[in-house]
Amino acid sequence: MTNSDAPVEGTPLIKPSNTEHQLHEAIVEACRSVYDPEIPVNIYDLGLIYTIEINEENEVHIIMSLTAPGCPVAGEMPGWVADAIEPLPGVKQVDVDLAWEPPWGMEMMSDEARLELGFM
């Protein structure tokens, strides 16, 4: 790896979401309707949705992870997320990509998820 390939110090490991976009809250709520089949908490509160990008054409790009690379629904969950978001009024299209860096960890869960799972 050359120096130009190294991450710039201070660069976030997870790309920020477009939280100011008018569709952001509806997309978050749609993500909250998708559950990991092995954990009784939605994938948003589990911290599996890393980034929600929405461009000017209302095309949505989701970057998400899974609790483990060997997750039995790894091939299906991105489709579940896209299926939850696509019907929202104003959404033009949805692309969902899996990311393994940074790896998901329990510290990424919301307080609600920690409470639900008995970690608080």
Side-chain angles (χ1 to χ4, degrees), residues 13-14 44-48 50 65 101-111 113-114:
L13 293 175
I14 296 174
Y44 188 84
D45 287 329
L46 277 176
L48 295 177
Y50 283 4
S65 193
E101 290 297 323
W104 178 85
M106 290 200 309
E107 71 281 356
M108 295 175 170
M109 289 191 288
S110 69
D111 287 345
R114 291 173 205 242

Side-chain angles (χ1 to χ4, degrees), residues 9-113:
E9 189 173 334
T11 300
L13 293 175
I14 296 174
K15 189 175 185 178
S17 295
N18 298 104
T19 56
E20 301 302 315
H21 195 283
Q22 64 184 11
L23 287 173
H24 183 264
E25 283 305 313
I27 291 169
V28 166
E29 288 309 309
C31 290
R32 282 192 168 122
S33 74
V34 179
Y35 283 74
D36 184 310
E38 297 179 341
I39 306 170
V41 175
N42 71 72
I43 62 169
Y44 188 84
D45 287 329
L46 277 176
L48 295 177
I49 301 295
Y50 283 4
T51 304
I52 299 171
E53 291 181 303
I54 312 156
N55 69 16
E56 296 82 30
E57 287 80 44
N58 291 348
E59 296 166 332
V60 180
H61 179 222
I62 302 289
I63 302 171
M64 67 173 294
S65 193
L66 301 172
T67 54
C71 178
V73 294
E76 299 172 54
M77 199 172 297
W80 298 346
V81 173
D83 289 347
I85 297 170
E86 281 173 346
L88 294 175
V91 170
K92 184 174 179 183
Q93 80 175 56
V94 181
D95 292 308
V96 181
D97 291 323
L98 285 176
W100 303 110
E101 290 297 323
W104 178 85
M106 290 200 309
E107 71 281 356
M108 295 175 170
M109 289 191 288
S110 69
D111 287 345
E112 292 82 2

